Each structure stands twice: as structure tokens, then as C-alpha cells.
Amino acid sequence: MNKMSTKIIHIFNDDKFVDAAISIMEYSHPNESEYYVIKNDENDFNYVKSGIVKRLKLTLDKDYSDFIQELKNKKSQVVFLHALDFYKQKMVLLLPEKIVKVWLIWGYDLYGNWQLFNDKLYEKKTIQALNLKKPSLKIQLINNSFSFWLFDKTNKKAIWLPNKISNILKSNFYNIFYKAAEKIDIVIPVIKDEYVFIKKLKLQAKLGTFSYGTLEDLLKGNDIDNVLNKSNILLGNSADPSNNHLDVFDKLRNFNFKDRKLFVPLSYGGTAEYKEKVIDSGKEIFGDSFVPLLDFMSLDKYNEILSSCGFAIFNHVRQQGVGNIVSMGHLGAKLFLNSKSPVLKYFSNLGMKIFDIDTMNEFQLSENITNQELDINRMVLNNEYSKKAVNDKVLNLLKIVNELIINKNK
């Protein structure tokens, strides 16, 4: 592909995926990007190690205007927004129309900002632990698909409603997130199936592709061939309540663990109170078999743990933990996912052998997958996440970006 006529501007938060994203971009399209990490204090980055990132302070309105002027001076024509959180929502609303805006969805930025998507993320035990109450009838009426349909129609002046009703709908749906999302030119979900949510939002953004890791990078330093004879279990990817840890604990409480370990990553996400409930419950139910992973660790150390797990349970209702699913699937772990998860549907449709948590039993959690099933899973994952496959995604994405730049400058 020909070099782009403009630098690609990337805006991140300080997160563990940043270095991987930079590595992928520099491999596919070297020396054509500038990387900014939002950091509003003077402390060192918690996760980012790359030496080519620039700090971006966004606390005052002037910070935004100064940065946008900097982009104008550089004649920048494309900005990649890695997760559309509040800072980047505000940035989008201030960026010139001619700049191509690319939103790389991380999950929390979509589901956490839009009530239609975030009100069914938790299972029964997790709802109880979070002390969540059923929304009032008024809230249910406001935050439903029909109400959004009415808002969309009135917003586009396709139908007329009394001002009082129209204003109620607008106040609940036309927030800064939605205003920013409307201005996005290209959207990149973690899995293609999530694009349906963008269509539900009635957005016109084109679909792009990108991955924050390759199989080669995810499994770096892991020289084990497979985990087909391993018995330990991995549960979840973080301390976020959307893992629905306690609901899995309830399903596993009567299983005989013998000398098996249940590893539960809790090093980031979630509140201290929720994390404490998970730890207390895990220790009470599983005793010494329960191993909470409380500290952020190196990839090599984390892979050492993964290499002991022949089974992996991901009880997310929304898209989450895909990197862990990819790693564990390639290692040969038996994967159990929530039946409502779009990730289960996505990988199953690609031909992978994946199991449903709803039907999980002690026998299934003791029998590893077969060599034939592992071969099939690896073939699918290589087609989607090998270095070559990820490189192709980037090149295809840049082709779409180039076309939009040309169209915007006609």
C-alpha cells in the first residue's frame, strides 16, 4: 500500500494494550503514526513502555484547542480514538469536519455509555452483590428500543411529537457520547458482530478492522505446545463485575476440585468492595484451590499460569476478554462462554468448538478437548489473529481511511 499523505494521529489512555497497538501499527505502516497518551498528572505511565509516545494533557478547554491547533499545523487528516471515553468524546466534537475520525471500540466505551446496552450485563448473583435495583417503570420506558426509535425519528424530523415528549427523549438520548458517535467516520469493534450495535444507534460510520494483538505476540515466551492434559481452570479476565464471577462460583460450588486450581485475574477493573466480595466468596467456597491474581504481571509470568489451565470460563454477557479467549483457545483450553455473549456466537460461527456455561457440568469440566478440536480451533484463530491476518486488517483499514480522506477533500 502507498504511504498515506498524512500522519495518523492515535489517542490512547494509559493502558496495557497501547504498546501492542503501536507495535502492530509500526510493523504494518512504519513511521507514519504519532501516538499520544492522555495523562493529566506528572506521574509515570502505569502501563505504557513505548519510548515514542507523547503525553497529552486534557484538563482545560485550552488544552483541547491547543492540541487541535497542533493537528491543523501538521495538516493531520485522520485521528484514531482508542476507546471513546469522555475526553475523546469532547475531542471529537471539536475536531474539524474534514478530519477522518476512527473509533476503536474497547467495550466499556460502548456499553457503559449507552443505557440500551448496559442494563443486562449482570447475572443474578452479581446483581445481588452489586445491590442493583430494578429500574423504575419510568426509566424502563425511557431506556428502551421504542423510545430510542421515537427519538431518532424526531431528531431527523421524520415525525412530530409534542415538545415536552421530544425534550424528554432528547435529554435521555442526545448526550455527549451520542453526539460524538454521530461524527465518527469509521468504527472498529473487537468482533465484527458488534457492528449491529452501531446500526442500532442509527450511525452511518463505516466498518473497519483492527486487532490489539497477534497470536505470536500474545503467546510470546510460551513454549508449551498445548494444555490438553492440564486440569487447572482460568475464570474471567479482570475484576470488572461484568465477568459475573459469583454466578460461576455458584455453578462450581459442588464440583470436586481435588488438587486443581481456579485462577481468577483481579489485577484491574472493578471496585475494591466488589473485588473483596469475589475474594471472600472464592476462599469460602474453594479454599486453597482458589487463586486470585491480584497484581499486574509480565506476559511471560501470565502465560506460565495460562499454560497450566486446560479449561477457561468467561461469563461476560458483552464482548470482553477476547485476547484471553484467543490465547487460551490456541493453547487448547476448553472454552466456556456465556450463552448471551456475542463472542460465543462469533467464534462458533467461524467453526470453533466452544461450550455454553449454561450447560456446563462437572464431567465437561474434567474432559479436555480432543486433538482434532484443537486443530480446528487453531486454524480459525490463525486465520483471524496471526501476524499476517492482523497486518491485512491494518492495510484494509488504511485503504478505507485513504478513500475517506480523498472524499472529504473533494
Side-chain angles (χ1 to χ4, degrees), residues 111-122:
Y111 302 99
N113 278 301
W114 203 243
Q115 184 64 32
L116 291 179
F117 302 150
N118 73 4
D119 60 349
K120 297 180 181 178
L121 299 183
Y122 307 119

Side-chain angles (χ1 to χ4, degrees), residues 226-240:
N226 63 61
V227 294
L228 296 185
N229 64 340
K230 303 299 174 66
S231 62
N232 289 336
I233 301 168
L234 177 74
L235 168 57
N237 75 312
S238 71
D240 193 296

Side-chain angles (χ1 to χ4, degrees), residues 81-92:
L81 303 131
H82 296 262
L84 194 60
D85 57 21
F86 175 77
Y87 293 108
K88 302 188 201 87
Q89 291 165 23
K90 187 173 179 179
M91 180 69 69
V92 168

Side-chain angles (χ1 to χ4, degrees), residues 16 106-109 111-112 118 121-123 126-127 129-130 132 235-249 264-276 278 293 313-321:
K16 63 186 185 300
W106 281 30
Y108 76 88
D109 48 336
Y111 302 99
N118 73 4
L121 299 183
Y122 307 119
E123 305 281 72
T126 301
I127 289 173
L130 297 174
L132 295 180
L235 168 57
N237 75 312
S238 71
D240 193 296
S242 58
N243 284 267
N244 291 299
H245 303 94
L246 302 178
D247 297 271
V248 177
F249 288 177
V264 183
L266 298 171
S267 60
Y268 72 98
T271 64
E273 182 183 7
Y274 175 76
K275 189 185 300 186
E276 184 179 353
V278 172
L293 306 178
I313 303 171
F314 300 97
N315 198 25
H316 313 97
V317 173
R318 71 169 175 90
Q319 170 277 119
Q320 198 171 335

Side-chain angles (χ1 to χ4, degrees), residues 98-296:
K98 278 196 170 184
I99 290 182
V100 174
K101 304 160 192 71
V102 183
W103 170 22
L104 297 96
I105 297 174
W106 281 30
Y108 76 88
D109 48 336
L110 174 64
Y111 302 99
N113 278 301
W114 203 243
Q115 184 64 32
L116 291 179
F117 302 150
N118 73 4
D119 60 349
K120 297 180 181 178
L121 299 183
Y122 307 119
E123 305 281 72
K124 183 177 179 180
K125 294 292 182 181
T126 301
I127 289 173
Q128 293 172 357
L130 297 174
N131 294 316
L132 295 180
K133 297 178 181 179
K134 186 177 180 179
S136 67
L137 180 59
K138 179 180 178 181
I139 296 297
Q140 291 182 62
L141 288 173
I142 290 173
N143 294 315
N144 62 40
S145 298
F146 177 70
S147 296
F148 178 70
W149 179 85
L150 281 177
F151 158 74
D152 181 60
K153 292 299 182 183
T154 55
N155 192 42
K156 294 176 179 175
K157 296 182 170 54
I159 63 172
W160 178 87
L161 287 175
N163 285 339
K164 184 175 182 179
I165 296 176
S166 179
N167 290 337
I168 290 173
L169 293 172
K170 182 172 286 190
S171 66
N172 281 276
F173 291 114
Y174 205 48
N175 56 14
I176 184 174
F177 165 75
Y178 190 79
K179 291 175 183 177
E182 278 189 312
K183 292 183 176 295
I184 296 296
D185 297 293
I186 301 171
V187 65
I188 304 173
V190 174
I191 56 170
K192 292 178 182 178
D193 291 41
E194 283 185 297
Y195 189 58
V196 68
F197 296 134
I198 299 305
K199 303 311 290 183
K200 284 184 178 180
L201 285 170
K202 307 295 183 182
L203 304 180
Q204 302 304 310
K206 293 179 178 293
L207 175 64
T209 56
F210 186 81
S211 291
Y212 280 90
T214 69
L215 276 169
E216 291 86 343
D217 292 333
L218 287 169
L219 298 172
K220 183 179 179 181
N222 197 332
D223 57 1
I224 189 169
D225 181 49
N226 63 61
V227 294
L228 296 185
N229 64 340
K230 303 299 174 66
S231 62
N232 289 336
I233 301 168
L234 177 74
L235 168 57
N237 75 312
S238 71
D240 193 296
S242 58
N243 284 267
N244 291 299
H245 303 94
L246 302 178
D247 297 271
V248 177
F249 288 177
D250 198 48
K251 286 180 176 292
L252 300 179
R253 65 168 57 248
N254 295 319
F255 289 12
N256 186 352
F257 272 71
K258 297 181 181 177
D259 56 352
R260 302 169 75 181
K261 298 295 183 183
L262 177 65
F263 291 104
V264 183
L266 298 171
S267 60
Y268 72 98
T271 64
E273 182 183 7
Y274 175 76
K275 189 185 300 186
E276 184 179 353
K277 287 183 179 181
V278 172
I279 294 171
D280 290 346
S281 181
K283 288 179 178 178
E284 178 186 349
I285 296 172
F286 306 107
D288 293 339
S289 292
F290 175 70
V291 184
L293 306 178
L294 302 176
D295 300 314
F296 186 74

